[in-house]
Amino acid sequence: ARRLRIGWPAAGLAGRDPRGLRAVLAILLLLGAIDAGGEWRERLLHALSPGFSGGPPAAAASLDIWVTPPDYTGLPPKFLRPLRKGVVAIPAGSKLLAQVHGGNGVPRLVIDGLASKFTALDKANFQAGATLTKATSLAVSQQGALIGSWPIRIVPDLPPRIEFARPPEATPQAALRLDYRASDDYGVAAVEAVIRRLGGKKGEEIRLPLAMPGLNLKEAKASTYNDLSAHPWAGLPVEIRLLAKDAIGQTGESSAIRMRLPERHFHNPVARAVIDQRKELVTDPGSREAVAEILGDLRDQTKLYHDDAVVFLSLRVAAAELRAQRSAAATAEVLRLLWDTALRIEAGGLALAESDLRRLQQQLQQALARNAPTAEIDRLMRQLRQALDSYLGALAQDLARRPNQASPPFEPNRTISSRELQRLLDQARRLAQNGDREAAQRLLSELQNIIENLRLGRPTRAQQQAARSAQQTMRDMRDLMRRQQQLLEQSFRAAQQGQQAPTGQPGQQGRTPGAAQDFARQLSEAAGQQDALRRKLGDMMRRLGQGMGEIPAPFGRAERAMGRATGALRNAAPSAAIAPQTEALDQLQQAARKFAQAMQRQFGAGWGNPAGSPEDAAGERPGAFSRDPLGRPLSGQGGYDEGDVRIPGRARMHEARKIMEELRQRAGERRRPQLELDYINRLLERF
């Protein structure tokens, strides 16, 4: 033991490896560490961990994971990629689908620490799914190794919001106008109004589905008209709330507004008395005997309802039912009968035409909102056009039938012709056919707004006389422009004749004495005609100054240009007269346009349209002077304002029509791949 000494360890490798091949091992170890990079720890741990599974080694695992939001959100599926930082926002209710390919063992899906195993599709492929409602983290692991992880945030689906855009009001036709604004994070599915009578029984209410300007809009704003004048609550105080629903049934509610439900005002004394008894029966069902007695007295006033046998029998039946029946159902039938009777006494066919028009408007709005087939839209458009014609005719007949009845004050600057209403309807039909149904729905809403506020007024005799005088002035302007155009053409021909003289000089040089005298006589006559036009324009300016108090500036410029043209013609210089004559014609056209615009502001858009004439007093297309150079209506130049209705122009509609025709043509080519044909058919069904 004393002889033992501690020295450096020696393995004897030098003796056994004289060539130094052991250095190759060190080099290989160094290369492996360089190749491993940041994974050297995992690889070293895996090398030291024993594996007892037999067979060939498994392939490295790969992960594919998708998140599909609910269909009603309209959001596309999202493919999750490994993130170094940041949180993934996922809508509530989204479906998660994860697939793992390769690796050893069954993977696990971990959501907020709660793990669930994947389902094995085969030996190397696994799949898992889940619905994400509440979670903050998401991870996938396999055999203790983390394949992917994400911090997530579940975005809740908030209830919709709705409010009155303006207080509810009654239209001149006694319809209830409701303007609303609604919003939702993924789209409003439906809107309705809930009406309850103040002091009424609990649970009694009216639910009105309201038309929407489109499908599943995140922001919806619309005006709706509902005819409740026939309802027993008409004229009584009520409370109105608005409700909005989203795709999953969540509701939002507006604040309540109190008002009297719009009621129709009757002028015929018998019709008004029938409606009063109807109200009495609604508020006090116990007054049946008294109401029946009064209806019997009204029945005998045959002269006041023009000896109408239908009215006589209706009042008799209503009184008999009130005495014989006491059930709620029988009372409801009597209420409906009394309403129909009062309408027949008061309005005749106008009430029926008005009811049909409102019904078709609502049906068409609902069909556009639910993306109904094109055939149904076309059918409703045709029916609405016929109903509009019938309503306008009935409205005019009603006005003629009661010539002495006080009518609304005549406002010329708010007039609109039936042709303009039909044009709006045709424009909406073309928009719907081209697939732009939201624009068609907005235009129909504007049309309904016009019709609901439509009233026939009678112009006074002074207004009629002023309109006739304005039409005569416009005809004089048109004649003045025509004659000025003829003089301009005559001067142009004379200038060409002068340039073709033998000496090559204009005027009388180089001509024979007879030709020169004839040329001079023509120029003298043209000068006289030009001076006569100038004097006629001066007389027109004096009349306009007396009538309007202000003469449009282009008239003065045209008069001065005519004077210069007259001087040039008297000096036998037709070429020098061309420029002032052209200026005079241009100024006359500008003056005529300004005069027409002033008259339209005073008398309305249809002031220059004689009955049955396709042109207005200026000889232009209807409404030509009420539009800017781009064809858009000028503000305040007609009976309606299209400033807030985005109507596509003709170019856009033409392009849309071409696209639709191309889609229909391709849909008929059966040689195309079935996948493409299915896609084209979906486009045609949608648009």
Side-chain angles (χ1 to χ4, degrees):
R2 294 189 184 96
R3 290 194 296 271
L4 292 177
R5 297 289 186 269
I6 300 175
W8 294 102
L13 291 177
R16 295 182 177 85
D17 183 20
R19 297 176 179 270
L21 296 179
R22 60 189 180 275
V24 176
L25 297 176
I27 294 174
L28 292 176
L29 181 61
L30 177 61
L31 291 176
I34 294 174
D35 181 67
E39 299 179 357
W40 68 272
R41 294 182 180 84
E42 289 80 2
R43 294 192 179 191
L44 182 61
L45 179 63
H46 185 68
L48 298 178
S49 300
F52 301 101
S53 59
S62 64
L63 171 64
D64 296 325
I65 186 167
W66 295 270
V67 173
T68 304
D71 293 338
Y72 69 86
T73 64
L75 300 176
K78 181 182 296 186
F79 180 74
L80 299 186
R81 301 179 182 277
L83 297 177
R84 293 184 179 273
K85 59 181 179 179
V87 179
V88 180
I90 297 176
S94 297
K95 301 292 185 181
L96 181 142
L97 176 64
Q99 292 182 345
V100 175
H101 312 281
N104 286 319
V106 178
R108 298 168 68 86
L109 177 65
V110 183
I111 301 176
D112 280 356
L114 299 177
S116 59
K117 292 184 178 181
F118 278 61
T119 301
L121 301 178
D122 52 38
K123 292 183 178 180
N125 297 287
F126 306 89
Q127 179 176 298
T131 300
L132 301 177
T133 54
K134 294 181 180 180
T136 57
S137 64
L138 173 66
V140 177
S141 63
Q142 188 178 39
Q143 288 291 339
L146 192 64
I147 303 178
S149 65
W150 297 266
I152 62 176
R153 177 174 61 88
I154 302 299
V155 180
D157 186 352
L158 301 177
R161 297 171 296 279
I162 189 170
E163 62 181 358
F164 287 97
R166 57 188 292 182
E169 61 182 5
T171 69
Q173 278 82 3
L176 174 63
R177 173 173 177 167
L178 297 174
D179 298 77
Y180 68 85
R181 283 192 297 263
S183 61
D184 186 67
D185 40 10
Y186 297 119
V188 181
V191 175
E192 65 177 359
V194 179
I195 304 176
R196 297 184 177 91
R197 183 163 69 95
L198 297 180
K201 296 180 180 179
K202 187 176 181 180
E204 288 185 345
E205 61 185 19
I206 305 173
R207 287 188 171 265
L208 294 177
L210 304 183
M212 293 184 57
L215 292 173
N216 298 321
L217 297 178
K218 292 185 178 181
E219 298 285 341
K221 182 179 180 180
S223 301
T224 63
Y225 297 88
N226 302 271
D227 186 5
L228 297 178
S229 57
H231 196 275
W233 293 356
L236 300 179
V238 296
E239 181 183 81
I240 305 176
R241 294 178 184 269
L242 298 178
L243 295 180
K245 294 183 180 180
D246 61 10
I248 60 175
Q250 298 182 113
T251 60
E253 186 173 322
S254 72
S255 57
I257 292 183
R258 295 183 176 183
M259 67 174 296
R260 284 190 175 273
L261 206 60
E263 61 177 333
R264 188 184 186 108
H265 296 287
F266 292 84
H267 302 282
N268 184 283
V270 176
R272 189 165 56 245
V274 169
I275 292 301
D276 290 340
Q277 296 308 307
R278 184 174 181 266
K279 288 182 182 179
E280 180 67 23
L281 193 59
V282 171
T283 55
D284 184 13
S287 61
R288 304 168 63 88
E289 290 293 337
V291 171
E293 187 69 24
I294 296 176
L295 291 179
D297 295 338
L298 294 174
R299 181 191 61 199
D300 297 333
Q301 306 296 324
T302 56
K303 298 298 182 182
L304 295 178
Y305 55 83
H306 309 290
D307 296 319
D308 191 333
V310 175
V311 174
F312 180 87
L313 292 176
S314 298
L315 294 176
R316 181 175 181 178
V317 169
E321 285 292 318
L322 289 176
R323 292 189 177 98
Q325 303 288 338
R326 295 188 175 274
S327 64
T331 303
E333 289 295 333
V334 171
L335 293 176
R336 281 193 289 269
L337 179 59
L338 292 179
W339 174 257
D340 293 339
T341 303
L343 277 184
R344 182 178 179 89
I345 298 172
E346 177 71 17
L350 177 61
L352 181 60
E354 183 180 339
S355 176
D356 290 342
L357 183 62
R358 276 209 189 98
R359 176 179 55 81
L360 287 170
Q361 285 174 334
Q362 293 178 354
Q363 289 181 2
L364 185 55
Q365 290 276 15
Q366 293 171 359
L368 289 171
R370 60 181 169 84
N371 197 26
T374 304
E376 181 180 352
I377 299 297
D378 290 341
R379 176 179 59 81
L380 290 174
M381 282 286 187
R382 290 193 300 270
Q383 293 178 357
L384 182 58
R385 185 185 182 93
Q386 296 173 359
L388 180 59
D389 288 338
S390 300
Y391 174 70
L392 294 176
L395 196 61
Q397 290 177 5
D398 182 68
L399 185 66
R401 185 168 59 91
R402 294 177 292 177
N404 298 324
Q405 180 182 326
S407 62
F410 182 71
E411 300 180 58
N413 61 337
R414 299 191 64 183
T415 60
I416 187 169
S417 65
S418 60
R419 183 177 58 194
E420 289 174 303
L421 293 176
Q422 296 290 1
R423 183 182 63 81
L424 282 176
L425 187 57
D426 291 340
Q427 180 83 343
R429 178 179 56 82
R430 288 192 294 269
L431 288 172
Q433 289 176 346
N434 291 339
D436 199 349
R437 296 193 172 187
E438 292 186 5
Q441 198 167 7
R442 290 193 297 268
L443 190 57
L444 285 173
S445 179
E446 179 68 15
L447 177 63
Q448 187 177 13
N449 186 19
I450 295 172
I451 293 174
E452 288 295 337
N453 293 278
L454 190 63
R455 273 291 181 263
L456 291 180
R458 298 181 180 89
T460 64
R461 180 170 299 179
Q463 289 171 332
Q464 292 175 346
Q465 184 176 358
R468 285 194 295 268
S469 176
Q471 291 177 8
Q472 181 60 45
T473 302
M474 182 58 76
R475 284 192 290 268
D476 293 341
M477 289 183 188
R478 187 168 55 184
D479 180 66
L480 203 63
M481 288 185 288
R482 178 182 56 81
R483 294 173 60 184
Q484 183 63 64
Q485 177 69 36
Q486 293 174 351
L487 283 176
L488 176 61
E489 295 173 355
Q490 184 177 348
S491 298
F492 184 75
R493 289 193 298 269
Q496 287 182 324
Q497 292 175 6
Q499 292 174 356
Q500 294 172 358
T503 61
Q505 299 296 328
Q508 302 180 19
Q509 300 178 3
R511 298 180 182 271
T512 63
Q517 292 177 0
D518 185 63
F519 186 73
R521 186 178 65 255
Q522 292 178 4
L523 293 181
S524 178
E525 292 177 355
Q529 293 174 3
Q530 184 67 78
D531 191 56
L533 283 185
R534 184 181 64 82
R535 291 194 301 270
K536 184 176 182 179
L537 178 60
D539 294 338
M540 184 182 299
M541 292 169 62
R542 283 190 293 272
R543 292 198 307 269
L544 289 177
Q546 295 173 359
M548 299 177 58
E550 180 182 358
I551 302 174
F555 277 115
R557 293 193 289 267
E559 195 269 343
R560 291 190 292 271
M562 287 181 179
R564 293 195 300 271
T566 301
L569 292 172
R570 285 175 177 170
N571 293 330
S575 59
I578 292 177
Q581 285 178 333
T582 303
E583 180 184 358
L585 182 60
D586 179 65
Q587 295 300 325
L588 285 175
Q589 292 173 345
Q590 293 186 28
R593 185 172 293 107
K594 289 183 177 296
F595 178 77
Q597 292 175 353
M599 294 301 99
Q600 286 174 342
R601 285 192 294 269
Q602 182 177 356
F603 298 109
W607 73 274
N609 253 349
S613 173
E615 296 182 347
D616 61 15
E620 302 286 343
R621 63 178 177 81
F625 293 128
S626 63
R627 296 180 178 272
D628 65 9
L630 299 179
R632 298 170 298 192
L634 295 173
S635 177
Q637 298 298 315
Y640 58 94
D641 182 8
E642 296 177 1
D644 59 348
V645 181
R646 297 183 295 276
I647 304 176
R650 293 186 177 180
R652 179 181 171 187
M653 293 180 63
H654 178 67
E655 292 297 325
R657 189 178 299 111
K658 287 174 60 178
I659 293 174
M660 292 293 292
E661 292 174 356
E662 181 67 22
L663 287 175
R664 293 190 181 101
Q665 179 179 352
R666 294 189 181 188
E669 298 174 356
R670 309 314 299 176
R671 67 178 183 277
R672 293 183 176 274
Q674 187 61 39
L675 185 63
E676 181 181 356
L677 291 175
D678 292 342
Y679 175 68
I680 292 175
N681 289 331
R682 288 197 301 272
L683 287 178
L684 291 175
E685 291 175 359
R686 174 63 179 87
F687 298 105

